Amino acid sequence: MTSGAKLFYGLAVFFLVMDVVYILGTKYLAETNRVMGTEWAGVTGLTLALLLSLMLAVYLHITDNKTDIGPSDWEMAEIEDGAGVLGFFSAGSIWPFQLTIAVMLVAYGLAFAHLWLIVAGAIFLVWGSVMMNLQYGVARDDH
């Protein structure tokens, strides 16, 4: 098991303990002139944090079985052991910015309850997603 999986499993256990402490603390400890009872907003937040850290821990644990040991998990590793090609990153693409604008349009449409803005943002979102995925799959003169 990699160090990342161990870290997120530990974080999940921490959130579980804090969730139980928070539930018991808000249920039985109250100030004067206040209604006793569980405060559900904090419980929901802690539970979602627990589930998120558990999801990441399980993902890292499963992918650990499929990959070789990394330099971060090897005690005798040097800095140059982690060097090499990490992937391809587009240097100058306009599509992430276009997708950001599309998400902003959808969010404004939802916030102000304008259906036309939601539809326009969704169309731009689909179009931008397709174009971003195809930007290196079509000839340079075609886009």
Side-chain angles (χ1 to χ4, degrees), residues 36 52 78 104 106 108 129:
M36 289 179 59
L52 177 65
E78 297 290 332
M104 182 192 69
V106 171
Y108 277 145
S129 299

Side-chain angles (χ1 to χ4, degrees), residues 1-141:
M1 185 174 359
T2 61
S3 57
K6 289 178 185 176
L7 175 76
F8 282 109
Y9 277 130
L11 199 58
V13 169
F14 171 76
F15 281 130
L16 179 65
V17 170
M18 288 298 108
D19 209 358
V20 170
V21 168
Y22 191 83
I23 289 170
L24 295 176
T26 58
K27 186 170 184 168
Y28 295 115
L29 300 176
E31 297 175 10
T32 58
N33 299 329
R34 289 190 55 178
V35 177
M36 289 179 59
T38 304
E39 197 271 317
W40 290 106
V43 172
T44 303
L46 284 170
T47 304
L48 290 175
L50 163 72
L51 292 175
L52 177 65
S53 59
L54 193 61
M55 178 188 70
L56 288 171
V58 169
Y59 171 76
L60 291 173
H61 191 139
I62 289 172
T63 56
D64 176 42
N65 296 334
K66 298 178 182 177
T67 58
D68 198 14
I69 187 169
S72 62
D73 297 317
W74 185 33
E75 291 182 14
M76 301 301 291
E78 297 290 332
I79 293 175
E80 57 266 7
D81 291 335
V85 177
L86 298 177
F88 174 74
F89 301 99
S90 181
S93 178
I94 192 69
W95 300 114
F97 177 71
Q98 194 270 341
L99 289 173
T100 304
I101 299 299
V103 169
M104 182 192 69
L105 287 175
V106 171
Y108 277 145
L110 289 171
F112 297 118
H114 291 303
L115 183 62
W116 65 272
L117 205 52
I118 297 170
V119 171
I123 290 170
F124 283 131
L125 193 63
V126 169
W127 178 62
S129 299
V130 169
M131 294 308 292
M132 188 168 95
N133 285 313
L134 294 179
Q135 69 181 341
Y136 295 108
V138 295
R140 194 165 183 82
D141 298 331

